[in-house]
């Protein structure tokens, strides 16, 4: 085909790993239509901003980037070339036609559940439709029509198994932007995993907004849990590492906890957001767990896998959060001991219950609390990293580093590890010794 690779697409990814996965799949959808991926919007025929709506900052970034891409679009127009500009992802879903009003130079808007229809939307724009907005939720159709992941280069891949969320935490837009919970069929997941492994993938991270709520149709007719699914995936030869994210404490079932002790391919790491340490705040967040029930889960996990690394998400300054509530968060962090974590100031999200609360926390309190929390989490991360110095471990080297001969990889605990002088190990799993710890990375030597 002469069309092949003649057009250029640039997709910018914001936000979570689900978006990273979606971006790759968008590229897969467009490849058969002659689009090859480029790293900047310069000279692109199609630019997609795959956006995030989780906090206000993420959303603001989209609008400022849109302005910049527009400048390139205008420049190309002067040369007689047309760039089609699209907003996809969760801002697209949440704001739909509003984006067209605010940024009329945008040609199309779509959400996380309709990007399999990209070629169709594009054809409509090319036929002269002024603005195409597609923000349905045909999630089953999407997974059934997406092409296979076909150009995977890294030895580590994401695989989306579950989408959407029915939990309705009162601060969160996800149930509105990603829609109701949906689990893919186990057979489809396994087929996709096998195809990835055939392309050289050794590590798969199963993705879902609520991944441990997975309950897809199994290969034996029964619904399968995430643990059951991972057991099946673990049978795939050549697949060495299995991870999953993000989990909700309420769905940490006993079989899922147990698999951390039973299945070697399931990595000793768990991202388990707790959000806050005060039960009063957790209740107002509609989290359906307490600080104590969370700690109990961590204890059970450590009973079956003593070295498991725990990561989390935190929100400070949720409406009505008192100084005492915040101290409960600090106390919980002390109790758990995190290997890494993400923490945020509460951000008002339109349409969510907490966004309407009248007892919003002043910005300066949020700033101070976040600094204290991040200080503590940073010290814990450094301590965790130091505790691995002297250890020998298998590292999957999945990237080349900034320096000549340097490669970067991930430890079983998802620490970033760098190694000098062995570029031949890029793309491989190698046994290394950790010789030095920094706050957010480790230095290794070959054993
Ligand atoms: N404000 C701040 N942080 C939020 N998160 C979700 N919604 C908000 C919000 N409105 C955080 C939570 C979640 C992570 C993905 O983003 O900690 O776990
Ligand atoms: Fe948002 Fe809560 Fe669902 Fe996570 S569990 S996606 S925080 S509503």
């Amino acid at each position: 085909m002469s069309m092949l690779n003649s057009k250029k697409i640039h997709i910018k990814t914001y936000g979570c790993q689900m978006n990273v996965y979606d971006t790759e799949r968008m590229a897969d959808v467009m490849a058969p239509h002659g689009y090859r991926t480029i790293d900047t919007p310069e000279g692109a025929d199609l630019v997609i901003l795959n956006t995030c709506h989780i906090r206000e900052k993420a959303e603001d970034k989209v609008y400022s980037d849109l302005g910049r891409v527009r400048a390139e679009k205008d420049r190309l127009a002067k040369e007689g070339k047309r760039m089609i500009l699209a907003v996809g992802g969760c801002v697209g879903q949440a704001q739909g036609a509003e984006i067209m009003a605010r940024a009329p130079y945008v040609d199309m808007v779509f959400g996380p559940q309709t990007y399999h229809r990209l070629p169709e939307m594009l054809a409509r724009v090319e036929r002269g439709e002024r603005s195409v907005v597609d923000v349905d939720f045909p999630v089953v159709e999407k997974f059934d029509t997406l092409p296979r992941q076909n150009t995977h280069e890294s030895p580590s891949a994401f695989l989306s198994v579950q989408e959407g969320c029915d939990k309705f935490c009162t601060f969160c837009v996800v149930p509105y932007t990603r829609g109701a919970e949906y689990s893919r069929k186990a057979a489809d997941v396994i087929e996709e995993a096998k195809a990835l492994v055939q392309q050289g993938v050794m590590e798969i991270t199963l993705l879902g907004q609520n991944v441990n709520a997975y309950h897809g149709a199994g290969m034996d007719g029964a619904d399968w849990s995430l643990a059951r699914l991972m057991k099946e995936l673990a049978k795939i030869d050549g697949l060495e590492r299995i991870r999953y994210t993000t989990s909700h404490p309420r769905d940490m079932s006993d079989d899922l906890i147990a698999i951390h002790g039973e299945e070697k391919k399931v990595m000793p790491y768990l991202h388990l957001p707790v959000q806050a340490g005060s039960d009063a705040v957790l209740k107002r967040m509609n989290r359906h767990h307490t600080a104590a029930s969370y700690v109990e889960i961590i204890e059970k996990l450590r009973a079956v896998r003593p070295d498991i690394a725990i990561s989390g998400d935190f929100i400070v300054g949720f409406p009505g959060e008192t100084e005492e509530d915040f101290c409960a968060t600090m106390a919980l962090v002390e109790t758990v001991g995190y290997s890494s974590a993400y923490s945020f100031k509460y951000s008002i999200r339109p349409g969510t219950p907490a966004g309407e609360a009248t007892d919003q926390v002043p910005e300066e309190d949020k700033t101070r609390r976040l600094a204290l929390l991040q200080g503590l989490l940073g010290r814990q991360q450094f301590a965790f990293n130091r505790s691995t110095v002297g250890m020998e471990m298998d590292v999957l080297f999945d990237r080349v580093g900034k320096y000549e001969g340097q490669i970067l990889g991930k430890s079983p605990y998802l620490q970033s590890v760098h190694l000098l002088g062995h570029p031949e190990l890029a793309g491989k799993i190698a046994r290394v010794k950790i010789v030095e710890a920094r706050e957010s990375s480790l230095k290794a030597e070959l054993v």
Side-chain angles (χ1 to χ4, degrees), residues 7-11 36-46:
K7 294 193 168 181
K8 290 177 267 184
I9 180 173
H10 170 68
I11 313 176
R36 108 185 118 79
T37 306
I38 56 172
D39 293 336
T40 70
E42 239 165 278
D45 298 281
L46 173 61

Side-chain angles (χ1 to χ4, degrees), residues 338-341 375-387 415 437-441:
Y338 286 89
S339 70
S340 64
L376 176 57
L377 290 166
R379 289 192 295 280
Q380 289 195 343
Q381 180 170 354
F382 195 18
F384 181 82
N385 285 346
R386 281 195 312 264
S387 76
Q415 297 150 294
R438 316 241 167 95
E439 259 176 56
S440 57
S441 68

Side-chain angles (χ1 to χ4, degrees), residues 83-102:
M83 171 202 284
I84 291 173
L85 176 52
V87 176
C90 292
V91 176
Q93 189 68 43
Q95 306 199 331
E98 244 176 279
I99 297 178
M100 298 289 194
R102 207 170 141 179

Side-chain angles (χ1 to χ4, degrees), residues 312-362:
D313 286 345
F314 298 87
I315 295 176
V316 298
F318 183 78
E321 185 188 69
T322 63
E323 216 45 46
E324 204 183 331
D325 289 327
F326 172 67
C327 289
T329 298
M330 295 291 277
L332 179 80
V333 171
E334 294 280 9
T335 304
V336 171
Y338 286 89
S339 70
S340 64
Y342 301 91
S343 47
F344 315 98
K345 290 182 197 173
Y346 170 70
S347 166
I348 293 180
R349 302 286 61 212
T352 60
E356 260 122 66
T358 50
D359 49 355
Q360 299 293 335
V361 172

Side-chain angles (χ1 to χ4, degrees), residues 70-95:
R70 180 199 192 172
E72 174 64 5
K73 182 176 162 118
D74 290 347
R75 191 188 71 79
L76 288 172
K78 279 190 201 117
E79 292 177 7
K81 293 183 196 140
R82 174 158 194 207
M83 171 202 284
I84 291 173
L85 176 52
V87 176
C90 292
V91 176
Q93 189 68 43
Q95 306 199 331

Side-chain angles (χ1 to χ4, degrees), residues 114-181:
T114 52
Y115 61 79
H116 58 296
R117 297 180 186 156
L118 262 172
E120 193 184 315
M121 290 182 232
L122 200 62
R124 283 165 60 191
V125 172
E126 280 166 350
R127 278 200 305 269
E129 257 182 72
R130 280 263 346 254
S131 57
V132 173
V133 179
D134 189 348
V135 289
D136 288 353
F137 286 105
V139 59
V140 182
E141 173 194 303
K142 176 180 81 173
F143 280 118
D144 285 349
T145 46
L146 278 176
R148 282 194 166 191
Q149 295 203 42
N150 51 24
T151 49
H152 207 86
E153 276 163 24
S154 160
S156 178
F158 293 132
L159 202 175
S160 190
V161 301
Q162 182 278 337
E163 272 209 63
C165 182
D166 295 338
K167 294 282 191 298
F168 290 94
C169 298
T170 55
F171 50 80
C172 185
V173 287
V174 166
Y176 313 97
T177 56
R178 289 264 169 183
E181 202 173 306

